[in-house]
Amino acid sequence: MSDIIRRDPRAEWIARNRLHPLHAAMQPAQTRWMGPNGVLRKNVHGIGFIGPNGVKRIDRSGAQQGGAIKRSVSVDVQLPLHRIATPAFYIAVVPDMVGGRLSSHDRDLLGLAHGLAGNEGAVLAVIFGEHKETAFDTAGVDRLLILEGSAFSGYSPEQRVQGLRAVDNQFDPHHWLLPDSRNGGGELGRRFAASLGERPSTRVWQVAGEQCVGRAGAGTADLSRPVSRLILAQAECAEPVSETRHEALPVELSTAVARSLPRIEDLGAVAVDPALIPMSEAEFIFSGGNGVKDWPLFHRTAVALGATEGASRVAVDDGFMGRDRQVGASGTWVTARVYVAVGISGAIQHLQGIGACDKVVAINLDPTCDMIKRADLSVIGESAAILEALIEAVDTYRNGAKRDAA
Amino acid sequence: MLNTLLPILLFAALGLALIGVLRRVSLWRNGRAAKVDLLGGLLAMPKRYMVDLHHVVARDKYIANTHVATAGGAVASIILAILVHGFGLHNRVLGYALLLMSAVMFVGAIFMYLRRRHPPSRLSKGPWMRLPKSLLAFSGSFFVVTLPVAGVLPANFGGWLLAIILGIGLLWGVCELFLGMTWGGPMKHAFAGALHLAWHRRPERFGGGRSTGLKPLDLTDRTAPLGVEKPKDFTWNQLLGFDACVQCGKCEAACPAFAAGQPLNPKKLIQDMVVGLAGGTDANFAGSPYPSLDGMGKPIGEHGGNPHQPIVNGLVDADTLWSCTTCRACVEECPMMIEHVDAIVDMRRHLTLEKGATPNKGAEVLENLIATDNPGGFAPGGRMNWAADLNLEVMSHKKTVDVLFWVGDGAFDMRNQRTLRAFVKVLKAARVDFAVLGLEERDSGDVARRLGDEATFQMLARRNIQTLAQYDFKRIVTCDPHSFHVLKNEYGAFEGHYVVQHHSTYLAELIADGALNVGQHKGTSVTYHDPCYLGRYNGEYQAPRDVLRALGIEVKEMVRSGFRSRCCGGGGGAPITDIPGKQRIPDMRMDDIRETGAELVAVGCPQCTAMLEGVVEPRPMIKDIAELVADALFEETAPAKPAAARREPAEAH
Amino acid sequence: MDKSALHVISLVSVGAHPTSGRPRRAEQDARAVELGLQLAGDNLHVLHAGDAEEPALRGYLGMGVDELHVLAQPPGADALPGLADYIRESGVQLVLTGSQAETGEGSGMLPYLLAEKLGWPLVVGMAEVESMSNGTAQVLQALPRGQRRRLKVRLPFLATVDNSAPKPRQSAYGPAQRGLLDVEEIDVVIDEVFAGAELTPAKPRPKRLKVIKAKSGADRMKAATAKASGGGGQVLKGVTAQEGAAAILKLLVEEGVVR
């Protein structure tokens, strides 16, 4: 609710009218009272309010009625509970659970599922192994099925398909919804579809009525078709649930999941040297340009930050970095989430190349350069000193984290 | 004594030389067939030698005069010596003639020797240091030996000692001149050079002509090799051309890639081709090696080959071939008129068409050209976006027009769009009846061809020619010298013959005709950078300067301007293949520009603009000629307003 | 790894250039061929189901493959049965495909269905084969953001490659023209479902707007007029290097890239 202070003429009238049944409730909070030892106590903080111009006002007219209290109540408003006592049918969702939490993609999918379930059906979320999510209720999960067991841990797509088949047998959902993502959903969904012999709707970005629209080919065409039982949907396929609270009732499988002989064995993640990650894929790029004078320091900083190195054209031309490290229209178009530009003034070609970056940090001497205009955070100063300080700060941060862990 | 030995010596040497000729000819004949006018070429050769070749050599007066004396003296001396000493025609007149000629040759050889005392680095050393001495020995010995014939001295003058000394001198001189000529000594240049001039692969170049368009590959002939893999894949007259090299190193001195420390030295490349045609290693090469990144130069003696072995990675490394910007500075400077660029593109063709080994971004660019008709891979439908608000006439509506404005791929480049818009403004101000091809235009194929992808070039060329054939226009005008060159000189082989002009030429014409009302350029001093594809490729040096003069600009010429202009580094796909060097070519060119003290450099090429603007600031401003003209244009909106103002009072009455 | 002992099939399709839509060799399929060439050299078998007349197929031959096998089919036919039969009879250890076709539906289902039909394990997004021995292969699977996972899989198996696989070599004109197309006619199974579907040019997806769940008009007004987040960054001027570094580190930690 609004934080703007508004007059409430009716409340003011009640506060003045001693005969009104709500008169007492509308009195300002008590500011003075007799203490247990007979000393008069005053609460000097409770008096008055901050006026529209930021000045504290004390109003003795009786118009002030503890507005602050009223406002604070409205903040944690309880969303209405959407209860499906006996589901007429199920809409099953298998979220990616990246890092054990629902991703925004998962939430979009749950929103889509909620739409498909309507007031009769229940949204059944199927989750493998442990999770850290606490907000299944507000995300729109009516029933929560957690498939536990060591067989589902790690990369176990074939076993997970078995799990989903067991769920399919027991709940027979109207629709299966999986995120069409590279985080596992796209793969699991297709494996499951092949196993069921169902033809899925893939790369779906819109479900409207009985039709769903998905991207086709290399993303230059749309394919519109009747909604199929299995839907692999893209991010932002629907609005996430935001107006209702759901039960997230745990349910269980009545039968054990068949064990399949693993034909693919997960030998674990491979430590990837950030320097070897292709630039176009790297998540965190630390890029140097003409303003970098101390290249060994630059490389040390990149190692300290654990970032993939990039460079502007000038730095590459001058031979400080390899051509494969060039960022920009004539080099690589990068998709990093965080891009740190050191001593790069931001030629238009370079800015084009970092167009897809989420957060850009600039370290530069010239506060007027174009890179600063693009950056979310800019530090004006000599790059060498800032990089030294950055290495130090990262070390302290990491050591601090280690101490905390110990 | 000498009188008996000398004829034997001369005829034996002549005989051996003749065998050498046969061997050399058989080496050249390893090459593929070429269409050459054998007899006509031979007949035209003396004129080509005396006039065309001399024009090139005469750029350096010292060496020109020296060469006239030495070479003229040598040819005359040899003929006279064979007559006098070989056939024993001890005629006094002939004797004096031989004395005179050998003296002339001697003097020439002395100057040659003086030049060789502190030779510039471009000159090859090794046997070439010996040559002036050999010439001195030859001319000196024959002078002395001929003195008795002329009756200046008695027949038996000097006795045994002199006879022996003369004998050694004669032997040395005759060996160098006769045997060296055909068995691979420095004098080979005279023999091979003469034949090279006679059977040159571009006879159009002689007599003041110009031939710069690359020769097409016949892709329909499945048996013909796609480009040159082995020395034998060159045509025989190309091989002959390599043999003509005098190793003067003028190409090396002019080559921008060599100066930038990229691994290319045109002289070494030609010598490597000679090694390839004769077989062996490059161990005897005595000039500057290919530069390497450590500054030491690539080691000599590790590469070798023969006519039947692949050139790349045996004789020459691939990055040598990809360093070339095809600026033709080497060809322009070569006194032997050797065609370096043709050879390089021939070898590139093999790498691209057969090996699929176009380095760095090359493969991507070629793929884009095939799939989108432009090297950047932009959606073809966006080709006219730059002119969205200009209301340009399109050929498909207009059909008939005076001037077809060929936009080029600069249409996709935001910097070049400024130039294009400026040029359109000028055209409109001059009320030119013009139109563009719009979405029907495709890349001219320049980049594809220089990168060796003849197939893609021919595909683009054929389609463009097909498009152009539908319309009626008097001439094509373009702001891009590369498109200009290709349209003008290379589409002819595919039956596309057009009148093509670079925009500077057309602007000069408009200004001369008074069609353009231009004011004066304000402020800043200006220099002009000659684009290779406009200047050296097409000989247009004057028109851009005329345009600038019309704007009241006094061009501060660079030391290297006109036909000696240094490349910006943007030609031949060099920015795409991107071979690393010690420095960048545009940086060197910018230094040339800075030397003039000019604050603005006028250019006439989108590549030059892009390359020069890539130089880190602060640097002089870069503006296309079209932009300069557009800036100085008198606005023609002025007369429209008074007319409107006059109408108002009339209404009030 | 012994190249001669390994038999690999790379499945290829006809792609479409992303901006012009013209036929070309498909990017991921070309990577499958590249990986196949690196693994098996001359023993690589390149297989296509579809129109043998398509000139873009020669793009694969240009990579140095002598022969391309085509199971001739009209457009719209289901490639699955023919491919499965062919692969089952070929006796190969590894089949490589791209992840998704560049034309048609592009559902990316083919490798899954093929693996299901053949009963072979499927590795999704294979980046590299590290070793092969005793009927198993150790491979690296590509994960988002350049991460890798090591998997052990038994032979024979099917693997899809995506853009993390080695970059395909250039397709050269000469070999492309000389290469042979070995065309085999197979029974046509028409894909009924796809035949009924309708392909339209992709509609640009609207950027999701921030949903404003305001209860009052003032809130809605405030949300509507508020400056879009991210517009105009914070500029730290005249701070010490340490303060600057701390600010940068704070952002990096918040974004989760420094751990």
Side-chain angles (χ1 to χ4, degrees):
Chain A
M1 202 179 177
S2 164
D3 285 333
I4 296 175
I5 294 160
R6 284 174 181 275
R7 291 186 65 185
D8 183 349
R10 182 173 175 270
E12 285 172 22
W13 171 69
I14 295 171
R16 286 196 300 273
N17 184 356
R18 286 174 216 176
L19 296 177
H20 198 280
L22 291 176
H23 171 76
M26 288 299 175
Q27 289 311 304
Q30 207 174 16
T31 54
R32 58 178 74 194
W33 64 94
M34 197 61 74
N37 300 328
V39 183
L40 187 71
R41 315 303 306 241
K42 287 184 185 171
N43 178 7
V44 294
H45 303 293
I47 308 174
F49 60 95
I50 305 297
N53 295 330
V55 183
K56 184 164 183 172
R57 316 306 300 252
I58 297 174
D59 180 6
R60 300 183 197 283
S61 70
Q64 190 196 3
Q65 328 96 25
I69 303 160
K70 244 169 76 186
R71 275 194 291 277
S72 67
V73 169
S74 70
V75 171
D76 50 326
V77 66
Q78 278 274 335
L79 292 170
L81 185 66
H82 177 87
R83 192 190 299 258
I84 306 289
T86 47
F89 58 88
Y90 287 99
I91 304 291
V93 176
V94 188
D96 268 344
M97 302 299 287
V98 179
R101 291 200 172 81
L102 288 171
S103 65
S104 67
H105 193 170
D106 294 337
R107 285 173 194 274
D108 296 342
L109 221 59
L110 286 166
L112 178 61
H114 182 58
L116 289 169
N119 289 324
E120 310 285 299
V123 176
L124 169 72
V126 183
I127 290 176
F128 296 99
E130 300 199 337
H131 67 85
K132 299 178 202 154
E133 185 59 56
T134 53
F136 282 118
D137 54 348
T138 50
V141 176
D142 295 316
R143 300 288 185 272
L144 182 63
L145 174 60
I146 300 177
L147 293 172
E148 300 211 58
S150 59
F152 296 116
S153 63
Y155 178 69
S156 50
E158 296 178 319
Q159 185 58 34
R160 288 182 182 204
V161 169
Q162 294 290 345
L164 294 185
R165 291 201 68 145
V167 176
D168 193 50
N169 281 334
Q170 183 173 335
F171 294 91
D172 191 27
H174 262 198
H175 290 289
W176 278 97
L177 267 58
L178 286 98
D180 202 346
S181 69
R182 277 189 74 194
N183 290 313
E187 180 189 345
L188 185 63
R190 286 183 176 83
R191 279 185 194 273
F192 184 46
S195 164
L196 286 182
E198 292 268 1
R199 189 185 185 104
S201 309
T202 52
R203 300 154 78 191
V204 170
W205 58 273
Q206 193 179 52
V207 178
E210 289 304 299
Q211 290 284 314
C212 64
V213 186
R215 284 277 190 255
T220 51
D222 274 341
L223 183 61
S224 175
R225 57 184 150 191
V227 177
S228 57
R229 185 157 176 257
L230 226 131
I231 299 171
L232 298 174
Q234 294 188 328
E236 302 191 5
C237 53
E239 293 299 331
V241 172
S242 60
E243 290 176 335
T244 45
R245 201 157 45 87
H246 296 249
E247 295 169 292
L249 280 181
V251 288
E252 279 178 7
L253 275 183
S254 52
T255 53
V257 175
R259 290 296 292 267
S260 72
L261 198 67
R263 297 177 294 182
I264 302 174
E265 194 185 331
D266 182 6
L267 299 182
V270 180
V272 181
D273 181 357
L276 296 178
I277 297 177
M279 291 259 293
S280 54
E281 273 190 82
E283 182 177 29
F284 177 22
I285 294 178
F286 188 69
S287 196
N290 199 32
V292 176
K293 296 287 172 269
D294 186 353
W295 284 93
L297 172 68
F298 175 82
H299 297 309
R300 267 193 290 131
T301 318
V303 171
L305 293 173
T308 305
E309 287 186 4
S312 73
R313 188 188 60 77
V314 178
V316 173
D317 285 343
D318 290 347
F320 295 114
M321 297 282 269
R323 184 60 74 186
D324 60 327
R325 293 284 137 193
Q326 183 181 329
V327 175
S330 53
T332 310
W333 296 63
V334 298
T335 59
R337 233 159 28 76
V338 181
Y339 185 83
V340 181
V342 187
I344 298 177
S345 59
I348 179 70
Q349 291 84 356
H350 194 87
L351 295 180
Q352 266 177 296
I354 62 170
C357 292
D358 211 12
K359 284 271 190 282
V360 175
V361 179
I363 300 176
N364 212 306
L365 264 179
D366 175 13
T368 60
C369 69
D370 289 333
M371 183 56 86
I372 305 279
K373 289 176 195 139
R374 164 72 172 84
D376 298 276
L377 170 67
S378 319
V379 180
I380 311 298
E382 187 54 59
S383 67
I386 296 171
L387 295 192
E388 292 280 9
L390 194 55
I391 294 179
E392 210 170 289
V394 171
D395 283 348
T396 334
Y397 172 76
R398 292 239 168 86
N399 290 338
K402 243 179 253 162
R403 251 200 317 281
D404 288 350
Chain B
M1 172 64 205
L2 272 179
N3 283 344
T4 45
L5 279 182
L6 207 50
I8 298 173
L9 175 66
L10 277 174
F11 285 115
L14 265 180
L16 284 173
L18 213 60
I19 297 172
V21 167
L22 294 177
R23 177 176 161 272
R24 213 70 207 170
V25 169
S26 76
L27 286 178
W28 299 332
R29 282 173 55 95
N30 277 329
R32 293 190 304 123
K35 260 195 196 152
V36 178
D37 179 6
L38 288 175
L39 193 65
L42 274 180
L43 292 176
M45 188 262 285
K47 185 167 168 259
R48 292 176 181 178
Y49 188 89
M50 309 282 198
V51 180
D52 298 288
L53 186 138
H54 185 74
H55 275 321
V56 182
V57 180
R59 289 171 190 166
D60 185 344
K61 285 276 182 282
Y62 180 101
I63 210 69
N65 296 335
T66 311
H67 192 258
V68 166
T70 323
V75 171
S77 301
I78 288 171
I79 294 169
L80 289 168
I82 290 172
L83 289 178
V84 173
H85 298 292
F87 292 108
L89 295 177
H90 287 218
N91 181 312
R92 239 185 137 93
V93 180
L94 286 178
Y96 270 111
L98 179 51
L99 277 184
L100 180 68
M101 282 301 136
S102 52
V104 168
M105 179 179 170
F106 192 82
V107 173
I110 285 175
F111 280 101
M112 201 78 82
Y113 176 76
L114 291 176
R115 168 62 74 100
R116 281 271 164 188
R117 274 187 315 170
H118 304 291
S121 68
R122 64 179 169 85
L123 287 174
S124 285
K125 318 292 183 303
W128 293 88
M129 296 304 280
R130 186 187 71 213
L131 185 61
K133 295 171 204 158
S134 310
L135 295 174
L136 286 175
F138 180 88
S139 51
S141 308
F142 269 102
F143 187 84
V144 177
V145 161
T146 313
L147 285 176
V149 178
V152 182
L153 287 170
N156 285 328
F157 171 78
W160 282 101
L161 187 65
L162 187 64
I164 289 170
I165 294 174
L166 280 179
I168 292 171
L170 287 170
L171 188 67
W172 178 11
V174 166
C175 282
E176 182 75 271
L177 261 82
F178 285 47
L179 303 188
M181 182 101 62
T182 60
W183 286 93
M187 279 312 292
K188 185 187 67 184
H189 78 269
F191 158 62
L195 293 181
H196 165 60
L197 290 180
W199 298 324
H200 197 278
R201 75 187 312 241
R202 295 178 181 276
E204 307 86 357
R205 282 186 68 190
F206 302 107
R210 193 171 283 282
S211 165
T212 51
L214 290 172
K215 310 237 168 190
L217 275 184
D218 183 5
L219 295 176
T220 52
D221 181 3
R222 287 299 177 94
T223 55
L226 297 172
V228 168
E229 180 188 18
K230 304 163 181 170
K232 73 178 177 70
D233 295 334
F234 284 111
T235 59
W236 65 265
N237 56 346
Q238 272 180 300
L239 294 176
L240 165 59
F242 301 145
D243 244 355
C245 175
V246 277
Q247 303 197 33
C248 65
K250 296 255 173 157
C251 50
E252 172 184 322
C255 179
F258 179 81
Q262 289 175 301
L264 170 63
N265 175 351
K267 180 176 87 176
K268 172 84 164 64
L269 182 78
I270 296 301
Q271 283 311 304
D272 282 347
M273 295 303 111
V274 174
V275 169
L277 103 102
T281 73
D282 64 349
N284 293 328
F285 179 70
S288 322
Y290 295 127
S292 64
L293 285 180
D294 58 13
M296 305 289 291
K298 288 196 178 181
I300 279 175
E302 293 178 358
H303 291 73
N306 65 48
H308 306 285
Q309 247 173 30
I311 294 172
V312 171
N313 293 335
L315 204 52
V316 176
D317 295 335
D319 53 1
T320 295
L321 301 178
W322 295 114
S323 297
C324 177
T325 67
T326 67
C327 73
R328 265 184 101 80
C330 47
V331 185
E332 188 72 38
E333 289 292 340
C334 182
M336 275 299 183
M337 305 193 142
I338 297 171
E339 295 285 343
H340 309 65
V341 175
D342 283 359
I344 288 174
V345 172
D346 277 342
M347 290 184 275
R348 284 184 178 186
R349 282 175 176 170
H350 173 75
L351 291 179
T352 295
L353 294 177
E354 284 291 352
K355 291 275 183 288
T358 323
N360 291 327
K361 294 239 158 190
E364 192 186 318
V365 165
L366 294 176
E367 236 166 72
N368 286 338
L369 280 171
I370 294 169
T372 64
D373 302 329
N374 67 75
F378 299 102
R383 193 174 271 279
M384 281 301 282
N385 290 0
W386 66 276
D389 58 338
L390 293 179
N391 281 326
L392 291 190
E393 299 271 14
V394 182
M395 280 313 281
S396 53
H397 293 304
K398 253 199 130 176
K399 308 286 185 200
T400 305
V401 80
D402 279 347
V403 172
L404 193 156
F405 175 29
W406 183 275
V407 178
D409 289 324
F412 293 102
D413 177 62
M414 287 163 88
R415 168 61 183 92
N416 189 240
Q417 288 169 3
R418 295 215 305 265
T419 307
L420 295 173
R421 295 175 71 92
F423 187 58
V424 166
K425 184 178 163 196
V426 174
L427 286 178
K428 284 186 171 168
R431 300 180 199 289
V432 176
D433 173 31
F434 76 100
V436 296
L437 283 176
L439 299 186
E440 288 183 291
E441 192 183 306
R442 294 178 161 84
D443 179 272
S444 62
D446 167 70
V447 182
R449 193 167 223 198
R450 312 302 136 184
L451 287 176
D453 193 345
E454 183 73 6
T456 302
F457 165 75
Q458 291 193 8
M459 177 195 77
L460 291 167
R462 289 220 160 84
R463 291 191 180 163
N464 277 327
I465 290 168
Q466 228 169 43
T467 308
L468 290 171
Q470 300 168 26
Y471 305 119
D472 194 13
F473 49 86
K474 297 209 176 86
R475 58 178 128 196
I476 302 176
V477 175
T478 175
C479 297
D480 173 15
H482 294 262
S483 302
F484 166 56
H485 165 69
V486 170
L487 285 164
K488 181 175 167 224
N489 301 322
E490 298 191 348
Y491 276 18
F494 308 95
E495 304 311 318
H497 301 279
Y498 316 104
V499 179
V500 193
Q501 281 183 322
H502 185 246
H503 69 311
S504 62
T505 317
Y506 189 60
L507 286 173
E509 263 179 38
L510 286 178
I511 292 172
D513 294 350
L516 261 184
N517 197 4
V518 288
Q520 298 290 294
H521 171 75
K522 287 176 199 72
T524 58
S525 53
V526 178
T527 184
Y528 171 68
H529 164 76
D530 285 284
C532 311
Y533 276 73
L534 183 62
R536 275 188 293 271
Y537 272 80
N538 289 294
E540 185 58 276
Y541 304 108
Q542 202 45 49
R545 291 179 168 81
D546 288 345
V547 173
L548 293 176
R549 190 173 315 116
L551 298 179
I553 292 169
E554 189 61 48
V555 176
K556 292 181 144 193
E557 291 289 358
M558 286 180 261
V559 179
R560 289 186 63 168
S561 63
F563 73 87
R564 287 228 159 105
S565 168
R566 197 206 296 263
C567 179
C568 68
I576 297 162
T577 56
D578 190 35
I579 304 300
K582 274 207 309 293
Q583 53 181 334
R584 296 179 67 240
I585 297 173
D587 289 346
M588 299 191 307
R589 189 56 175 163
M590 192 51 82
D591 289 340
D592 292 350
I593 294 164
R594 287 194 183 108
E595 244 173 49
T596 65
E599 292 161 59
L600 189 147
V601 51
V603 291
C605 171
Q607 283 290 343
C608 300
T609 315
M611 294 307 284
L612 293 176
E613 288 205 334
V615 175
V616 180
E617 291 188 322
R619 52 157 167 71
M621 252 208 321
I622 293 127
K623 278 208 166 181
D624 194 275
I625 286 182
E627 291 180 280
L628 290 172
V629 174
D631 289 348
L633 217 52
F634 280 127
E635 294 299 332
E636 300 216 354
T637 47
K641 269 181 192 163
R646 241 176 286 130
R647 212 179 301 125
E648 260 175 316
E651 280 169 18
H653 281 293
Chain C
M1 240 177 299
D2 185 11
K3 275 193 178 181
S4 61
L6 189 65
H7 284 264
V8 177
I9 289 183
S10 290
L11 302 183
V12 298
S13 62
V14 176
H17 193 274
T19 57
S20 70
R22 286 191 209 157
R24 59 158 189 178
R25 64 172 181 168
E27 168 76 19
Q28 292 179 342
D29 293 349
R31 286 177 192 261
V33 173
E34 175 66 38
L35 194 60
L37 282 171
Q38 289 181 12
L39 287 172
D42 291 341
N43 281 337
L44 177 72
H45 224 69
V46 181
L47 183 61
H48 170 70
D51 181 11
E53 302 297 312
E54 175 54 56
L57 280 180
R58 295 210 167 262
Y60 299 106
L61 290 169
M63 296 173 74
V65 183
D66 295 333
E67 204 178 6
L68 197 143
H69 302 267
V70 184
L71 307 177
Q73 282 188 324
D78 190 354
L80 185 66
L83 287 176
D85 292 344
Y86 188 98
I87 292 168
R88 200 177 288 124
E89 284 160 25
S90 65
V92 293
Q93 288 107 319
L94 172 59
V95 174
L96 295 166
T97 79
S99 305
Q100 180 175 88
E102 290 178 2
T103 57
E105 185 181 356
S107 66
M109 278 303 290
L110 181 103
Y112 295 87
L113 293 170
L114 208 50
E116 188 71 23
K117 198 156 188 172
L118 293 167
W120 290 8
L122 169 71
V123 175
V124 176
M126 186 165 81
E128 194 184 326
V129 175
E130 289 187 314
S131 65
M132 282 204 191
S133 58
N134 300 334
T136 60
Q138 193 164 305
V139 304
L140 287 186
Q141 183 187 33
L143 301 177
R145 293 293 180 197
Q147 302 302 309
R148 297 280 183 270
R149 182 193 281 144
R150 187 169 285 130
L151 299 176
K152 196 169 169 185
V153 56
R154 71 158 175 71
L155 298 174
F157 70 100
L158 213 123
T160 68
V161 298
D162 57 19
N163 292 342
S164 313
K167 207 170 175 299
R169 65 192 64 183
Q170 185 179 356
S171 175
Y173 173 82
Q177 296 308 306
R178 283 192 302 269
L180 295 176
L181 288 175
D182 173 28
V183 185
E184 190 182 322
E185 295 290 337
I186 56 163
D187 299 338
V188 174
V189 183
I190 292 294
D191 183 350
E192 303 286 348
V193 183
F194 186 64
E198 177 193 3
L199 276 179
T200 50
K203 266 185 268 173
R205 288 180 61 185
K207 262 218 150 113
R208 178 182 274 177
L209 296 172
K210 233 180 214 145
V211 183
I212 301 143
K213 296 234 159 123
K215 294 283 187 277
S216 72
D219 280 358
R220 274 193 293 276
M221 176 61 87
K222 201 158 91 184
T225 54
K227 227 169 53 161
S229 63
Q234 185 191 3
V235 180
L236 299 180
K237 209 168 160 186
V239 296
T240 65
Q242 279 69 26
E243 286 165 350
I248 293 171
L249 184 64
K250 183 162 163 274
L251 183 138
L252 298 182
V253 172
E254 271 170 11
E255 287 298 318
V257 289
V258 166
R259 287 173 278 262

